Amino acid sequence: MQLLLALLALAAAGHWASSADLHWCYDIQKIHDSSCLAPEQWEWNCQKKRQSPIDIKTSEAKVNSDLSPFSFSGYDKKGKWSVTNNGHTVMVQLDGQAWIEDGGLDSKYQATQLHLHWSQEPGKGSEHSLDGTFKAMEMHIVHQKKRGTSRSRRALQDTQEDNIAVLAFLVEAGPQNDNFQPLVNALSAISKPKSNTTMAEEVSLFDLLPEKEKLKNYFRYLGSLTTPSCDETVVWTVFQEPIRLHSQQIFAFSEKLFYDDQKKVNMTNNFRPLQLLEGRVVYKSRAPEQLLPLALTTLLAPALTYLTVGSL
């Protein structure tokens, strides 16, 4: 069973962070290595029309009543996870015991790994943006679809458009986040690419996320992997509530990790530029709560006072 889980994790990692022979890179790496392919040069599936990331215009997202709260299984399980610098990001291999379902998903999905994107510049670093605004980082929890768990006839169709489900969390500066510190502490041991370590302390996925009650509000669209080969196989969930880390915790990723063995090029700005929506529809889990207009509130106040006094 452990071997099977390891193979699943490696398969997902292989999709998300493609092998070195593709020799793709981010713009900041292109400055130091002219032979690598920067984002505008990516080929494979990267030139298709259902690509990620995108800018989410929150007022234009359509409410979808099927986007119910997620059911999380194993997200509370703590573990000392394996952490790797894969040359493009820091990747945490999960143990295969965490799952998600519901949330408008057609099947059950197994968590295989999580990774992050970031910058050392304020207001820059996330891959997705909300109304044109970027955050300092973005964390992706990658899930693989479990065959045979579909609840609709779509499972009979020859399609892979929802083979992977990614939960995306924007990260902004805030107070010290002690739950994230075990991962931050592990960065010093994986400064060079292809190096790995194990967290010194146990952490659960729920430890890293906003409060569960705040995970009901999210956006949904169909897209792609954000690294080559940019396969259009991802159902994206971008949560409205951000994760908050202290600025020093955020900067640690750019300061302690490197793209190269010589430790000359800091690992930062590892995000893909925004892609065109190309006619796709972005959905949201529910309409934002509407406040009563001020004038109506003023009119209702005396009536509410009268009713309250009358009931005494």
Side-chain angles (χ1 to χ4, degrees):
M1 183 62 177
Q2 292 298 324
L3 177 60
L4 176 60
L5 293 174
L7 290 174
L8 282 172
L10 287 172
H15 274 292
W16 203 267
S18 303
S19 56
D21 59 346
L22 295 178
H23 202 44
W24 61 271
C25 63
Y26 292 106
D27 284 325
I28 193 170
Q29 295 172 272
K30 184 76 173 180
I31 299 173
H32 304 274
D33 181 3
S34 59
S35 66
C36 71
L37 301 177
E40 67 274 11
Q41 300 172 302
W42 292 354
E43 297 179 355
W44 308 283
N45 295 306
C46 305
Q47 303 302 320
K48 292 186 176 182
K49 295 185 179 296
R50 212 189 77 189
Q51 293 293 295
S52 299
I54 62 170
D55 175 49
I56 296 174
K57 300 184 186 306
T58 59
S59 63
E60 296 179 8
K62 296 185 177 181
V63 177
N64 185 339
S65 59
D66 291 334
L67 299 184
S68 59
F70 283 92
S71 295
F72 298 94
S73 175
Y75 262 60
D76 58 347
K77 180 178 173 56
K78 292 182 179 290
K80 294 182 179 180
W81 298 331
S82 174
V83 187
T84 302
N85 175 343
N86 68 3
H88 299 290
T89 184
V90 54
M91 183 175 291
V92 178
Q93 299 292 347
L94 305 176
D95 59 11
Q97 298 188 48
W99 300 79
I100 56 171
E101 54 185 325
D102 298 323
L105 298 176
D106 186 57
S107 302
K108 190 175 182 180
Y109 288 78
Q110 181 183 36
T112 58
Q113 52 103 338
L114 71 82
H115 62 271
L116 298 102
H117 303 267
W118 61 85
S119 175
Q120 58 189 355
E121 301 177 42
K124 183 179 179 180
S126 64
E127 293 206 300
H128 290 87
S129 59
L130 298 181
D131 296 321
T133 300
F134 293 91
K135 297 295 185 180
M137 303 181 78
E138 184 168 331
M139 184 177 79
H140 295 159
I141 307 179
V142 183
H143 302 73
Q144 189 79 28
K145 186 174 185 179
K146 181 174 174 59
R147 300 302 173 190
T149 61
S150 177
R151 294 184 291 273
S152 77
R153 298 177 66 87
R154 287 182 58 199
L156 302 178
Q157 300 176 4
D158 184 18
T159 177
Q160 299 292 317
E161 68 178 11
D162 63 349
N163 190 45
I164 294 172
V166 178
L167 304 188
F169 298 86
L170 304 182
V171 182
E172 66 181 21
Q176 174 76 13
N177 188 328
D178 292 335
N179 289 336
F180 246 87
Q181 198 57 38
L183 175 56
V184 174
N185 291 340
L187 300 179
S188 298
I190 56 168
S191 58
K192 297 181 180 181
K194 298 183 181 179
S195 57
N196 60 80
T197 188
T198 301
M199 287 186 191
E201 301 175 50
E202 291 189 334
V203 178
S204 75
L205 286 173
F206 272 151
D207 288 337
L208 305 180
L209 305 185
E211 297 175 14
K212 188 176 180 181
E213 184 64 25
K214 295 182 179 179
L215 301 182
K216 295 179 180 179
N217 302 326
Y218 57 86
F219 300 95
R220 167 67 48 76
Y221 79 99
L222 293 176
S224 72
L225 303 177
T226 62
T227 62
S229 54
C230 307
D231 297 344
E232 295 180 339
T233 59
V234 182
V235 52
W236 280 94
T237 301
V238 181
F239 288 90
Q240 196 162 8
E241 181 69 16
I243 295 170
R244 293 178 176 85
L245 302 182
H246 192 275
S247 58
Q248 290 304 312
Q249 292 179 301
I250 294 171
F251 293 147
F253 287 81
S254 296
E255 294 169 353
K256 296 183 178 181
L257 299 174
F258 295 84
Y259 286 119
D260 61 317
D261 289 329
Q262 294 74 36
K263 299 172 67 171
K264 293 182 178 179
V265 186
N266 291 80
M267 183 176 285
T268 190
N269 293 355
N270 58 347
F271 51 84
R272 187 186 189 189
L274 293 175
Q275 303 297 299
L276 297 176
L277 193 58
E278 299 286 4
R280 284 173 288 175
V281 177
V282 178
Y283 297 97
K284 57 185 174 184
S285 56
R286 65 175 178 83
E289 296 178 0
Q290 298 293 326
L291 297 177
L292 287 172
L294 179 60
L296 182 57
T297 304
T298 303
L299 289 172
L300 286 176
L304 291 173
T305 302
Y306 174 80
L307 291 173
T308 303
V309 173
S311 65
L312 294 178

